[in-house]
Amino acid sequence: MTPPEISETSDTREPTSNGDAKSTSVIVNAIAVLRSFTAEEPLLGVTEIASRIGLHKSTVSRILATFEQEHLVERDADSRRFRLGLGMIALAGPLLAELEERRVAYPVLRELSERTGETSALMVWNGSESMCVEQIASRHQVKHLAPLGARYNEALSSSVQVFLATEDSDRVRKLLRSGSITLPGLDEEALEAYLLRIRDSVERGWAINFGETSIEEVGVASPVYDHRGDIVASVLIPAPKFRVSQDTLASLGEACRDAAHKITTRLGGRAPQ
């Protein structure tokens, strides 16, 4: 029998499932390394990252070496620990430049900070986290900030409340039960109380976090909508708790709601009926 002919051209067969899985694993690990850096902990060593994301130190070291070559991370000269590098700005820059909500919101956020004296920020939702894409810092020496790129997944965070208030109740339950969104003392009673709380925030026009995620901070947030009536962002005011009484909380909420409404209008948006 004549043996089958073997082509001398390049092998065009699809990669094996094992190869696909390995490639996916490398990407997931690399993303996990980047996500380990936060505004609260911008400097991390290899051992810290490895223990945090459950990878071997040698794996983390190789990933960081590649990122360093591409300027996605850089070493601190004194501690030799790593921080995110300027290459991250080059990656995020085109997205931020094209983010219409950010461009439209900027002058409104400036007005809001001048009106309240507090920091104002624009947050967007990635499905399980509220993320900061713009910020105007308070003029006060003592202030709370929401740095660009900061991510929040605490259920009691005011901006997270705003986004979850527009989600289907079953999806909110799923996010909370899975731990994707964290809620202290989670049980069925707490879950139902939380669903009621975020429904109330919709009727009021702003959500409140009165020292519940940080004893020193108060946050109020309001939704921004597009022309379909879908939420596309939220306006956030974070402030030191000592400067916000229960009496002044409503005025912050009203200012936040007004700013969110102005951004909605400038986007050609409308609140859902």
Side-chain angles (χ1 to χ4, degrees):
M1 180 180 293
T2 305
E5 182 177 348
I6 300 176
S7 172
E8 294 181 0
T9 59
S10 299
D11 189 350
T12 58
R13 292 174 297 176
E14 292 293 326
T16 65
S17 59
N18 285 342
D20 287 345
K22 184 176 181 180
S23 298
T24 301
S25 176
V26 170
I27 295 170
V28 169
N29 290 343
I31 292 171
V33 169
L34 290 177
R35 282 181 173 273
S36 63
F37 295 94
T38 65
E40 292 75 23
E41 295 181 278
L43 279 174
L44 295 171
V46 172
T47 301
E48 292 170 293
I49 296 172
S51 62
R52 183 167 301 185
I53 63 178
L55 291 177
H56 195 278
K57 288 192 294 184
S58 62
T59 300
V60 172
S61 183
R62 286 195 299 270
I63 292 171
L64 288 170
T66 301
F67 284 162
E68 190 173 17
Q69 290 175 2
E70 299 298 323
H71 307 291
L72 299 180
V73 300
E74 60 188 28
R75 288 182 189 267
D76 177 69
D78 296 325
S79 68
R80 304 303 294 164
R81 297 159 84 195
F82 289 91
R83 63 162 62 91
L84 294 179
L86 295 177
M88 294 297 297
I89 297 176
L91 288 177
L95 170 62
L96 292 177
E98 291 298 316
L99 193 62
E100 184 180 13
E101 294 83 3
R102 180 175 182 261
R103 176 179 57 80
V104 170
Y106 186 81
V108 180
L109 295 179
R110 289 192 66 88
E111 292 173 5
L112 180 60
S113 285
E114 290 170 5
R115 174 180 173 181
T116 63
E118 302 297 349
T119 296
S120 61
L122 185 73
M123 314 297 292
V124 296
W125 184 243
N126 72 0
S128 60
E129 292 174 315
S130 175
M131 303 177 63
C132 180
V133 295
E134 187 59 272
Q135 175 194 245
I136 305 295
S138 166
R139 61 175 178 266
H140 292 292
Q141 184 173 3
V142 179
K143 57 194 145 194
H144 278 287
L145 302 175
L148 291 181
R151 306 187 304 271
Y152 304 96
N153 72 338
E154 298 95 341
L156 297 176
S157 169
S158 57
S159 62
V160 172
Q161 292 180 58
V162 165
F163 289 116
L164 288 183
T166 66
E167 296 273 8
D168 178 79
S169 295
D170 287 339
R171 172 161 168 75
V172 175
R173 290 187 181 95
K174 183 177 180 180
L175 288 168
L176 293 174
R177 287 168 178 158
S178 69
S180 297
I181 304 291
T182 60
L183 179 65
L186 179 65
D187 56 23
E188 288 305 308
E189 183 178 351
L191 199 158
E192 295 306 315
Y194 182 78
L195 289 173
L196 180 61
R197 173 177 177 158
I198 59 178
R199 283 197 296 270
D200 288 344
S201 73
V202 173
E203 296 181 8
R204 185 172 52 243
W206 66 87
I208 300 169
N209 170 17
F210 199 74
E212 293 166 284
T213 59
S214 169
I215 195 171
E216 299 176 347
E217 183 178 356
V218 169
V220 294
S222 295
V224 173
Y225 300 101
D226 66 9
H227 66 281
R228 296 179 297 269
D230 294 334
I231 189 169
V232 290
S234 75
V235 175
L236 167 68
I237 302 177
K241 191 176 180 183
F242 74 84
R243 216 159 41 224
V244 182
S245 68
Q246 288 286 355
D247 293 334
T248 59
L249 187 62
S251 64
L252 274 186
E254 290 167 0
C256 189
R257 180 195 59 199
D258 292 347
H261 177 71
K262 184 176 289 189
I263 296 170
T264 294
T265 300
R266 292 187 177 189
L267 287 170
R270 59 178 179 82
Q273 300 301 317

